[in-house]
Amino acid sequence: MVMKKLIGIFVVVITMVSCTKEIELNFPDIERPLVVNCLFSEDEPWKVYLTRTKQHNELQDEFVSNATIRINAEGKAPVELNYAGNGTYLSKQYPEVGIVYQLQIEVPGHQTITATNSIPPKVEVSGYTYENRQMTYFFSNTLEDFEVAPLKLNLKTDAPAFTRFRFYSFNTKTGYLRYKLTKEDIDALRNEGVPTCPLTELEKITGQVFTTGKFIGMLRKIMETCDYHLLETTVANLVSPFSVSAREPEAFDIDAIFSTTGYLHNISIDFRTVLGELRGDDTVDLFVDYSPANNKGNATGHSIEYWLEVTTMNEDYYNYQKTYILQAFQAANPYTEPVQVHSNIQNGVGIFAGYNRQMIHFYDY
């Protein structure tokens, strides 16, 4: 009797397996909105990034190259942007603080895309107090301890202002160094016996300029991909860096920052961005990462500079930044509702918003 039951179960299982087949799901073609990204300030010329929204099976961005893009402002000649490749449109003209700009984008087959925004005035930093003492900050969002130091800011603003605070360090030994591989370098590495796999990967970035950190990171990634662990030493012995005279943005290292001020806080589990709204003159209490001080030994004879980035933004940028962080950190959690990233684009999606950024150099180790 037991044997008959087992045979019956076996037959059912075989039948189920033999009846299994793959079913292709055909998703209907729908009009895909265009995605606009334009965050502008008086420090950089106009730049608009334009793509299409992705379908379920697409990994790469689909660039839009046939758009007519102009920036309009009352009493000023329209600014025409030219396509520069990879979905990017550029102009040599700079935005100005306080002027209301209207973005206008024409793409064949789509409705005219528009958005309106301006650059807000800077929040004035009237003073600061930094205490060079190491303390522990418990970040309840991630249940972790961070080694930090306290920083107090005095801020002045004539009107409510949306603000973002970020903390950066700059290594004066490596921050001015740049690396660039040439064809001659590749030939020299080939003569040194470097295998084909890492050489092929290095050839892809020949002619590009890298900061020290990015160059080392790129080499280590190639080492892992190609399983060749002598690459970093071999390249370091053959390729000499060159120096630049300015502190370029990509050479700064972003570090942890926190706030205990009631109206300023870290969104989700992001420990590198403090956001909030100032409603007048006030004092802000921050805690910045102390680890650059502990790593000073890596810059023998050179200092590590501490910098605070204070960004004043309008409400559209603030809501975009906040919802973007929330979406990024909640996307992997199946028990939370998806977060819709804020958009101020008419007949499309994305962001067109101005900001005003200042960097404050407040301490050297």
Side-chain angles (χ1 to χ4, degrees):
M1 188 66 179
V2 173
M3 182 60 68
K4 288 183 178 180
K5 286 184 179 180
L6 291 175
I7 293 174
I9 293 172
F10 179 76
V11 170
V12 171
V13 170
I14 293 297
T15 304
M16 291 174 63
V17 173
S18 62
C19 292
T20 302
K21 67 176 183 177
E22 293 185 1
I23 300 176
E24 288 191 11
L25 299 177
N26 295 318
F27 292 90
D29 291 330
I30 59 174
E31 182 180 350
R32 293 186 286 165
L34 299 181
V35 182
V36 180
N37 189 299
C38 180
L39 298 170
F40 57 93
S41 74
E42 61 179 343
D43 299 325
E44 296 181 333
W46 286 105
K47 180 179 180 180
V48 174
Y49 188 68
L50 186 62
T51 61
R52 298 183 188 276
T53 51
K54 297 177 185 177
Q55 298 205 46
H56 69 285
N57 58 346
E58 293 177 331
L59 298 177
Q60 302 296 324
D61 288 338
E62 181 181 341
F63 305 128
V64 178
S65 59
N66 61 338
T68 300
I69 301 181
R70 63 177 55 91
I71 308 291
N72 301 308
E74 186 176 352
K76 293 183 176 293
V79 177
E80 303 285 345
L81 278 74
N82 300 311
Y83 189 63
N86 295 329
T88 303
Y89 293 77
L90 301 174
S91 168
K92 293 183 179 179
Q93 294 180 256
Y94 286 71
E96 299 177 36
V97 177
I99 295 178
V100 177
Y101 292 101
Q102 183 193 50
L103 172 70
Q104 182 178 330
I105 301 177
E106 304 282 355
V107 178
H110 292 266
Q111 292 181 289
T112 300
I113 292 174
T114 60
T116 303
N117 219 281
S118 61
I119 301 175
K122 292 180 181 178
V123 168
E124 179 187 350
V125 180
S126 59
Y128 61 84
T129 303
Y130 176 72
E131 298 181 42
N132 180 15
R133 60 184 178 93
Q134 188 172 6
M135 53 187 294
T136 301
Y137 180 87
F138 176 68
F139 187 38
S140 59
N141 291 17
T142 59
L143 305 179
E144 294 178 275
D145 286 331
F146 287 83
E147 299 306 316
V148 298
L151 171 65
K152 186 185 294 288
L153 292 179
N154 297 320
L155 302 177
K156 291 186 176 182
T157 176
D158 296 330
F162 295 95
T163 54
R164 182 184 70 198
F165 299 91
R166 285 178 173 168
F167 168 58
Y168 292 89
S169 59
F170 183 84
N171 188 319
T172 60
K173 179 182 180 180
T174 60
Y176 295 107
L177 299 181
R178 299 293 181 271
Y179 292 82
K180 181 173 72 171
L181 286 170
T182 65
K183 293 181 180 180
E184 290 74 19
D185 293 328
I186 299 297
D187 292 338
L189 290 170
R190 185 177 289 109
N191 293 334
E192 288 288 325
V194 174
T196 301
C197 178
L199 284 178
T200 301
E201 295 300 315
L202 290 174
E203 286 177 336
K204 295 178 182 178
I205 49 91
T206 299
Q208 299 180 35
V209 178
F210 295 92
T211 61
T212 303
K214 289 185 178 179
F215 189 65
I216 293 174
M218 179 264 306
L219 292 180
R220 290 176 179 174
K221 183 177 180 181
I222 293 176
M223 287 164 55
E224 293 177 3
T225 302
C226 297
D227 193 23
Y228 182 72
H229 300 288
L230 299 177
L231 183 64
E232 186 176 345
T233 302
T234 305
V235 171
N237 290 335
L238 288 174
V239 180
S240 298
F242 62 94
S243 298
V244 296
S245 58
R247 298 180 186 89
E248 297 173 348
E250 59 268 23
F252 284 80
D253 295 317
I254 189 170
D255 293 291
I257 185 171
F258 309 93
S259 176
T260 56
T261 305
Y263 48 85
L264 297 173
H265 56 284
N266 301 78
I267 302 295
S268 189
I269 60 174
D270 182 9
F271 54 84
R272 294 181 173 179
T273 304
V274 169
L275 289 169
E277 182 181 3
L278 297 174
R279 300 190 180 277
D281 298 352
D282 216 322
T283 300
V284 172
D285 290 307
L286 299 170
F287 295 94
V288 296
D289 193 0
Y290 197 79
S291 61
N294 293 328
N295 294 329
K296 184 184 176 182
N298 296 330
T300 304
H302 296 75
S303 68
I304 295 180
E305 301 173 350
Y306 274 20
W307 293 77
L308 183 71
E309 179 194 72
V310 181
T311 301
T312 310
M313 56 185 69
N314 52 51
E315 190 170 4
D316 278 318
Y317 192 169
Y318 173 79
N319 288 327
Y320 167 79
Q321 177 87 88
K322 182 170 65 173
T323 54
Y324 179 84
I325 293 172
L326 285 171
Q327 185 192 70
F329 283 104
Q330 293 186 12
N333 188 346
Y335 300 105
T336 60
E337 294 185 4
V339 176
Q340 185 69 40
V341 177
H342 175 75
S343 169
N344 66 340
I345 305 296
Q346 300 297 318
N347 299 322
V349 295
I351 187 68
F352 176 71
Y355 67 95
N356 216 323
R357 174 178 174 267
Q358 53 187 310
M359 293 287 284
I360 301 169
H361 177 201
F362 65 89
Y363 198 78
D364 287 350
Y365 275 104

PDB file of all heavy atoms in Angstrom, residues 17-38:
ATOM      1  N   VAL A  17       6.425  18.184 -13.704  1.00  0.00           N
ATOM      2  CA  VAL A  17       7.665  18.665 -14.291  1.00  0.00           C
ATOM      3  C   VAL A  17       7.582  18.676 -15.800  1.00  0.00           C
ATOM      4  O   VAL A  17       7.998  19.623 -16.468  1.00  0.00           O
ATOM      5  CB  VAL A  17       8.854  17.801 -13.813  1.00  0.00           C
ATOM      6  CG1 VAL A  17      10.126  18.185 -14.569  1.00  0.00           C
ATOM      7  CG2 VAL A  17       9.055  17.960 -12.317  1.00  0.00           C
ATOM      8  N   SER A  18       6.991  17.632 -16.374  1.00  0.00           N
ATOM      9  CA  SER A  18       6.921  17.538 -17.825  1.00  0.00           C
ATOM     10  C   SER A  18       6.000  18.590 -18.421  1.00  0.00           C
ATOM     11  O   SER A  18       6.117  18.927 -19.589  1.00  0.00           O
ATOM     12  CB  SER A  18       6.443  16.138 -18.234  1.00  0.00           C
ATOM     13  OG  SER A  18       5.127  15.912 -17.736  1.00  0.00           O
ATOM     14  N   CYS A  19       5.067  19.129 -17.616  1.00  0.00           N
ATOM     15  CA  CYS A  19       4.130  20.131 -18.107  1.00  0.00           C
ATOM     16  C   CYS A  19       4.644  21.559 -17.920  1.00  0.00           C
ATOM     17  O   CYS A  19       3.968  22.511 -18.302  1.00  0.00           O
ATOM     18  CB  CYS A  19       2.780  19.999 -17.399  1.00  0.00           C
ATOM     19  SG  CYS A  19       1.904  18.469 -17.842  1.00  0.00           S
ATOM     20  N   THR A  20       5.817  21.711 -17.283  1.00  0.00           N
ATOM     21  CA  THR A  20       6.340  23.045 -17.037  1.00  0.00           C
ATOM     22  C   THR A  20       6.905  23.640 -18.316  1.00  0.00           C
ATOM     23  O   THR A  20       7.605  22.961 -19.066  1.00  0.00           O
ATOM     24  CB  THR A  20       7.458  22.993 -15.985  1.00  0.00           C
ATOM     25  OG1 THR A  20       6.932  22.429 -14.784  1.00  0.00           O
ATOM     26  CG2 THR A  20       7.997  24.396 -15.698  1.00  0.00           C
ATOM     27  N   LYS A  21       6.599  24.909 -18.570  1.00  0.00           N
ATOM     28  CA  LYS A  21       7.164  25.597 -19.726  1.00  0.00           C
ATOM     29  C   LYS A  21       7.344  27.074 -19.383  1.00  0.00           C
ATOM     30  O   LYS A  21       6.687  27.621 -18.499  1.00  0.00           O
ATOM     31  CB  LYS A  21       6.278  25.444 -20.953  1.00  0.00           C
ATOM     32  CG  LYS A  21       4.936  26.142 -20.855  1.00  0.00           C
ATOM     33  CD  LYS A  21       4.174  26.015 -22.170  1.00  0.00           C
ATOM     34  CE  LYS A  21       2.844  26.775 -22.118  1.00  0.00           C
ATOM     35  NZ  LYS A  21       2.130  26.711 -23.404  1.00  0.00           N
ATOM     36  N   GLU A  22       8.277  27.693 -20.093  1.00  0.00           N
ATOM     37  CA  GLU A  22       8.534  29.100 -19.865  1.00  0.00           C
ATOM     38  C   GLU A  22       7.504  29.953 -20.582  1.00  0.00           C
ATOM     39  O   GLU A  22       7.120  29.655 -21.714  1.00  0.00           O
ATOM     40  CB  GLU A  22       9.938  29.470 -20.370  1.00  0.00           C
ATOM     41  CG  GLU A  22      11.048  28.821 -19.567  1.00  0.00           C
ATOM     42  CD  GLU A  22      12.408  29.295 -20.018  1.00  0.00           C
ATOM     43  OE1 GLU A  22      12.447  30.145 -20.935  1.00  0.00           O
ATOM     44  OE2 GLU A  22      13.407  28.827 -19.466  1.00  0.00           O
ATOM     45  N   ILE A  23       7.042  30.984 -19.901  1.00  0.00           N
ATOM     46  CA  ILE A  23       6.047  31.890 -20.474  1.00  0.00           C
ATOM     47  C   ILE A  23       6.666  33.265 -20.593  1.00  0.00           C
ATOM     48  O   ILE A  23       7.181  33.810 -19.612  1.00  0.00           O
ATOM     49  CB  ILE A  23       4.774  31.961 -19.597  1.00  0.00           C
ATOM     50  CG1 ILE A  23       4.149  30.573 -19.477  1.00  0.00           C
ATOM     51  CG2 ILE A  23       3.784  32.967 -20.171  1.00  0.00           C
ATOM     52  CD1 ILE A  23       2.948  30.531 -18.555  1.00  0.00           C
ATOM     53  N   GLU A  24       6.666  33.826 -21.785  1.00  0.00           N
ATOM     54  CA  GLU A  24       7.186  35.163 -21.984  1.00  0.00           C
ATOM     55  C   GLU A  24       6.117  36.188 -21.651  1.00  0.00           C
ATOM     56  O   GLU A  24       4.980  36.077 -22.083  1.00  0.00           O
ATOM     57  CB  GLU A  24       7.641  35.354 -23.438  1.00  0.00           C
ATOM     58  CG  GLU A  24       8.912  34.599 -23.773  1.00  0.00           C
ATOM     59  CD  GLU A  24       9.465  35.023 -25.123  1.00  0.00           C
ATOM     60  OE1 GLU A  24       8.966  36.029 -25.669  1.00  0.00           O
ATOM     61  OE2 GLU A  24      10.368  34.357 -25.613  1.00  0.00           O
ATOM     62  N   LEU A  25       6.489  37.159 -20.847  1.00  0.00           N
ATOM     63  CA  LEU A  25       5.574  38.232 -20.479  1.00  0.00           C
ATOM     64  C   LEU A  25       5.804  39.412 -21.413  1.00  0.00           C
ATOM     65  O   LEU A  25       6.900  39.986 -21.453  1.00  0.00           O
ATOM     66  CB  LEU A  25       5.797  38.652 -19.028  1.00  0.00           C
ATOM     67  CG  LEU A  25       5.557  37.563 -17.981  1.00  0.00           C
ATOM     68  CD1 LEU A  25       5.890  38.092 -16.588  1.00  0.00           C
ATOM     69  CD2 LEU A  25       4.113  37.082 -18.027  1.00  0.00           C
ATOM     70  N   ASN A  26       4.796  39.764 -22.177  1.00  0.00           N
ATOM     71  CA  ASN A  26       4.892  40.874 -23.102  1.00  0.00           C
ATOM     72  C   ASN A  26       4.318  42.127 -22.464  1.00  0.00           C
ATOM     73  O   ASN A  26       3.109  42.230 -22.236  1.00  0.00           O
ATOM     74  CB  ASN A  26       4.139  40.560 -24.399  1.00  0.00           C
ATOM     75  CG  ASN A  26       4.775  39.406 -25.157  1.00  0.00           C
ATOM     76  OD1 ASN A  26       5.992  39.326 -25.248  1.00  0.00           O
ATOM     77  ND2 ASN A  26       3.953  38.503 -25.687  1.00  0.00           N
ATOM     78  N   PHE A  27       5.188  43.052 -22.131  1.00  0.00           N
ATOM     79  CA  PHE A  27       4.746  44.299 -21.547  1.00  0.00           C
ATOM     80  C   PHE A  27       4.356  45.264 -22.663  1.00  0.00           C
ATOM     81  O   PHE A  27       5.080  45.389 -23.659  1.00  0.00           O
ATOM     82  CB  PHE A  27       5.853  44.924 -20.685  1.00  0.00           C
ATOM     83  CG  PHE A  27       6.156  44.135 -19.449  1.00  0.00           C
ATOM     84  CD1 PHE A  27       7.115  43.129 -19.458  1.00  0.00           C
ATOM     85  CD2 PHE A  27       5.471  44.390 -18.271  1.00  0.00           C
ATOM     86  CE1 PHE A  27       7.388  42.396 -18.317  1.00  0.00           C
ATOM     87  CE2 PHE A  27       5.750  43.669 -17.120  1.00  0.00           C
ATOM     88  CZ  PHE A  27       6.703  42.675 -17.150  1.00  0.00           C
ATOM     89  N   PRO A  28       3.240  45.940 -22.532  1.00  0.00           N
ATOM     90  CA  PRO A  28       2.816  46.860 -23.595  1.00  0.00           C
ATOM     91  C   PRO A  28       3.777  48.037 -23.720  1.00  0.00           C
ATOM     92  O   PRO A  28       4.361  48.500 -22.741  1.00  0.00           O
ATOM     93  CB  PRO A  28       1.436  47.331 -23.111  1.00  0.00           C
ATOM     94  CG  PRO A  28       1.469  47.160 -21.630  1.00  0.00           C
ATOM     95  CD  PRO A  28       2.314  45.947 -21.383  1.00  0.00           C
ATOM     96  N   ASP A  29       3.962  48.487 -24.959  1.00  0.00           N
ATOM     97  CA  ASP A  29       4.789  49.677 -25.183  1.00  0.00           C
ATOM     98  C   ASP A  29       4.001  50.914 -24.790  1.00  0.00           C
ATOM     99  O   ASP A  29       2.886  51.132 -25.262  1.00  0.00           O
ATOM    100  CB  ASP A  29       5.189  49.777 -26.657  1.00  0.00           C
ATOM    101  CG  ASP A  29       6.173  48.688 -27.055  1.00  0.00           C
ATOM    102  OD1 ASP A  29       6.940  48.264 -26.182  1.00  0.00           O
ATOM    103  OD2 ASP A  29       6.157  48.270 -28.231  1.00  0.00           O
ATOM    104  N   ILE A  30       4.557  51.712 -23.905  1.00  0.00           N
ATOM    105  CA  ILE A  30       3.907  52.939 -23.478  1.00  0.00           C
ATOM    106  C   ILE A  30       4.881  54.099 -23.697  1.00  0.00           C
ATOM    107  O   ILE A  30       6.089  53.896 -23.795  1.00  0.00           O
ATOM    108  CB  ILE A  30       3.486  52.889 -21.995  1.00  0.00           C
ATOM    109  CG1 ILE A  30       4.712  52.640 -21.100  1.00  0.00           C
ATOM    110  CG2 ILE A  30       2.437  51.808 -21.766  1.00  0.00           C
ATOM    111  CD1 ILE A  30       4.390  52.718 -19.622  1.00  0.00           C
ATOM    112  N   GLU A  31       4.347  55.274 -23.798  1.00  0.00           N
ATOM    113  CA  GLU A  31       5.197  56.432 -23.971  1.00  0.00           C
ATOM    114  C   GLU A  31       6.013  56.657 -22.706  1.00  0.00           C
ATOM    115  O   GLU A  31       5.484  56.724 -21.607  1.00  0.00           O
ATOM    116  CB  GLU A  31       4.358  57.676 -24.263  1.00  0.00           C
ATOM    117  CG  GLU A  31       5.208  58.920 -24.502  1.00  0.00           C
ATOM    118  CD  GLU A  31       4.367  60.142 -24.800  1.00  0.00           C
ATOM    119  OE1 GLU A  31       3.147  59.984 -25.003  1.00  0.00           O
ATOM    120  OE2 GLU A  31       4.918  61.251 -24.807  1.00  0.00           O
ATOM    121  N   ARG A  32       7.319  56.742 -22.893  1.00  0.00           N
ATOM    122  CA  ARG A  32       8.205  56.892 -21.747  1.00  0.00           C
ATOM    123  C   ARG A  32       8.548  58.370 -21.551  1.00  0.00           C
ATOM    124  O   ARG A  32       9.076  59.004 -22.458  1.00  0.00           O
ATOM    125  CB  ARG A  32       9.480  56.071 -21.946  1.00  0.00           C
ATOM    126  CG  ARG A  32       9.235  54.570 -21.932  1.00  0.00           C
ATOM    127  CD  ARG A  32      10.547  53.832 -21.980  1.00  0.00           C
ATOM    128  NE  ARG A  32      11.154  53.894 -23.299  1.00  0.00           N
ATOM    129  CZ  ARG A  32      12.430  53.583 -23.543  1.00  0.00           C
ATOM    130  NH1 ARG A  32      13.219  53.219 -22.554  1.00  0.00           N
ATOM    131  NH2 ARG A  32      12.912  53.649 -24.753  1.00  0.00           N
ATOM    132  N   PRO A  33       8.266  58.894 -20.379  1.00  0.00           N
ATOM    133  CA  PRO A  33       8.588  60.309 -20.127  1.00  0.00           C
ATOM    134  C   PRO A  33      10.095  60.551 -20.223  1.00  0.00           C
ATOM    135  O   PRO A  33      10.908  59.659 -19.973  1.00  0.00           O
ATOM    136  CB  PRO A  33       8.082  60.545 -18.701  1.00  0.00           C
ATOM    137  CG  PRO A  33       7.141  59.423 -18.426  1.00  0.00           C
ATOM    138  CD  PRO A  33       7.615  58.263 -19.232  1.00  0.00           C
ATOM    139  N   LEU A  34      10.455  61.758 -20.574  1.00  0.00           N
ATOM    140  CA  LEU A  34      11.860  62.145 -20.592  1.00  0.00           C
ATOM    141  C   LEU A  34      12.298  62.533 -19.179  1.00  0.00           C
ATOM    142  O   LEU A  34      11.509  63.064 -18.395  1.00  0.00           O
ATOM    143  CB  LEU A  34      12.077  63.315 -21.548  1.00  0.00           C
ATOM    144  CG  LEU A  34      11.720  63.042 -23.016  1.00  0.00           C
ATOM    145  CD1 LEU A  34      12.004  64.265 -23.866  1.00  0.00           C
ATOM    146  CD2 LEU A  34      12.477  61.844 -23.551  1.00  0.00           C
ATOM    147  N   VAL A  35      13.557  62.256 -18.867  1.00  0.00           N
ATOM    148  CA  VAL A  35      14.111  62.540 -17.545  1.00  0.00           C
ATOM    149  C   VAL A  35      15.101  63.692 -17.662  1.00  0.00           C
ATOM    150  O   VAL A  35      16.058  63.626 -18.438  1.00  0.00           O
ATOM    151  CB  VAL A  35      14.815  61.303 -16.954  1.00  0.00           C
ATOM    152  CG1 VAL A  35      15.347  61.618 -15.561  1.00  0.00           C
ATOM    153  CG2 VAL A  35      13.879  60.113 -16.920  1.00  0.00           C
ATOM    154  N   VAL A  36      14.875  64.746 -16.887  1.00  0.00           N
ATOM    155  CA  VAL A  36      15.698  65.948 -16.926  1.00  0.00           C
ATOM    156  C   VAL A  36      16.453  66.089 -15.601  1.00  0.00           C
ATOM    157  O   VAL A  36      15.870  65.926 -14.532  1.00  0.00           O
ATOM    158  CB  VAL A  36      14.834  67.211 -17.145  1.00  0.00           C
ATOM    159  CG1 VAL A  36      15.712  68.459 -17.195  1.00  0.00           C
ATOM    160  CG2 VAL A  36      13.997  67.077 -18.406  1.00  0.00           C
ATOM    161  N   ASN A  37      17.743  66.386 -15.695  1.00  0.00           N
ATOM    162  CA  ASN A  37      18.515  66.672 -14.491  1.00  0.00           C
ATOM    163  C   ASN A  37      19.327  67.938 -14.735  1.00  0.00           C
ATOM    164  O   ASN A  37      20.222  67.961 -15.574  1.00  0.00           O
ATOM    165  CB  ASN A  37      19.444  65.507 -14.144  1.00  0.00           C
ATOM    166  CG  ASN A  37      20.096  65.677 -12.781  1.00  0.00           C
ATOM    167  OD1 ASN A  37      20.827  66.623 -12.546  1.00  0.00           O
ATOM    168  ND2 ASN A  37      19.831  64.752 -11.876  1.00  0.00           N
ATOM    169  N   CYS A  38      18.991  68.988 -13.985  1.00  0.00           N
ATOM    170  CA  CYS A  38      19.726  70.254 -14.091  1.00  0.00           C
ATOM    171  C   CYS A  38      19.738  70.923 -12.726  1.00  0.00           C
ATOM    172  O   CYS A  38      18.769  71.542 -12.315  1.00  0.00           O
ATOM    173  CB  CYS A  38      19.089  71.174 -15.129  1.00  0.00           C
ATOM    174  SG  CYS A  38      19.950  72.760 -15.300  1.00  0.00           S
TER     175      CYS A  38
END
